[in-house]
Amino acid sequence: MTTHAPQAAQAVTLPTTLDEAVAALTALPAAVPVAGGTDLMAAVNSGQLRPAALVGLGRISEIRGWQYQDGHALLGAGLTHARMGRPDFAALIPALAAAARAAGPPQIRNAGTLGGNIASAAPTGDALPVLAALEATLIIAGPDGARREMPVSHLLAGMEMLRAGELIGYVRVPLLHAPQVFLKATGRTGPGRATASVALVLDPARRGVRCAVGAIAPMPLRPLEAEQWVASLIDWDNGRAVVPEALHGFGEYVAAACIPDAVPDEDGSVPQLPPAVLHLRRTVAALARRALGRALS
């Protein structure tokens, strides 16, 4: 907190259930929900946001855990990164646990929540490419006890938005019981914001590979053609073997799909990408190659 915030909140409501929180947001349309506050308070302290009221979500115990549901894990939006990084959760959804452990220093991991990571939709959010690769679904709580579902990718892409008075209550993630990997590159040693990240999961039941690239665009990118191409090269019946050349090819395929060449000029020549963009492209290729290699090993 700071002593020179542009404007203090005029009212703070602390509900104890999800429906109470929705009712508070409905009664106070100008109110802003807050869980860990890692993004909200940064916006307040920088003068970018002046909330007229706050609805605190920290006392809602029902969204701070998880449960099993028909081959899926139903994750409460109030789960902190620190909780998701523990070994018992890592055994459930390894890639999401790895992303949670990479989310930042301990004070950020202890406060930041899964729902907040999704709602703020910052391009560098570590959980976002993992949720996109897992094809997770959001369960949205609305007024009068209403519940509706939305693919997480729809919210991140702006295809669907939260309506007035709605909150992210839960995230439903399929349990694939197969290798999952999350890797990210940062601009410095140790915890930091990603310059690029890759989440990769195997889906042996459907003989598929799912990959999502984060931090390089406003939302996670899915290189679908690259996924289908490399899945066709994997020997799913023989220990998921693949020729080494396929790993390199996959990395280049993903990088080219997410960071394409420049548009040709009128004379047909293709301008060279700036050095920084070429470096980012090489980074994405390396992350994708390593992620697939680790998953298959």
Side-chain angles (χ1 to χ4, degrees), residues 207-209 225-236 241-242:
R207 300 196 171 199
V209 175
E225 292 184 359
E227 295 176 1
Q228 296 167 1
W229 174 78
V230 79
S232 69
L233 300 179
I234 297 174
D235 187 350
W236 296 96
V242 68

Side-chain angles (χ1 to χ4, degrees), residues 260-265 269-275 277-279 281-282:
D261 291 327
V263 178
D265 292 330
S269 61
V270 180
Q272 183 74 10
L273 292 174
V277 177
L278 288 173
H279 176 72
R281 197 182 202 181
R282 289 191 293 268

Side-chain angles (χ1 to χ4, degrees), residues 38-112:
T38 54
D39 290 324
L40 176 68
M41 290 313 303
V44 169
N45 290 340
S46 65
Q48 297 175 346
L49 183 66
R50 299 184 180 184
L54 296 176
V55 176
L57 309 178
R59 296 185 179 181
I60 306 177
S61 59
E62 63 188 284
I63 61 172
R64 298 184 68 85
W66 72 82
Q67 56 185 295
Y68 299 99
Q69 185 185 76
D70 300 327
H72 293 72
L74 192 64
L75 312 179
L79 277 171
T80 64
H81 299 304
R83 186 64 191 90
M84 291 188 291
R86 294 181 186 175
D88 58 340
F89 191 93
L92 191 71
I93 312 174
L96 192 53
R101 290 193 293 266
Q107 60 268 32
I108 295 296
R109 298 197 304 272
N110 288 334

Side-chain angles (χ1 to χ4, degrees), residues 63 117 159 243 256 260:
I63 61 172
N117 211 217
M159 298 170 61
V243 295

Side-chain angles (χ1 to χ4, degrees), residues 85-234:
R86 294 181 186 175
D88 58 340
F89 191 93
L92 191 71
I93 312 174
L96 192 53
R101 290 193 293 266
Q107 60 268 32
I108 295 296
R109 298 197 304 272
N110 288 334
T113 63
L114 177 61
N117 211 217
I118 299 168
S120 61
T124 55
D126 292 318
L128 304 186
V130 178
L131 296 175
L134 289 169
E135 297 180 349
T137 302
L138 303 178
I139 297 179
I140 310 298
D144 302 320
R147 299 290 187 270
R148 68 184 180 99
E149 298 187 9
M150 175 199 308
V152 67
S153 57
H154 284 201
L155 179 66
L156 299 178
M159 298 170 61
E160 294 185 62
M161 303 298 290
L162 293 179
R163 301 165 188 163
E166 287 189 331
L167 280 173
I168 299 172
Y170 302 92
V171 183
R172 189 167 62 230
V173 177
L175 297 177
L176 300 177
H177 304 293
Q180 306 173 8
V181 178
F182 171 79
L183 299 174
K184 83 174 188 178
T186 64
R188 59 185 177 86
T189 303
R193 291 187 179 274
T195 56
S197 62
V198 169
L200 187 138
V201 301
L202 301 183
D203 188 351
R206 294 193 286 180
R207 300 196 171 199
V209 175
R210 298 190 215 152
C211 176
V213 179
I216 66 171
M219 63 181 183
L221 303 178
R222 287 281 302 275
L224 299 178
E225 292 184 359
E227 295 176 1
Q228 296 167 1
W229 174 78
V230 79
S232 69
L233 300 179
I234 297 174

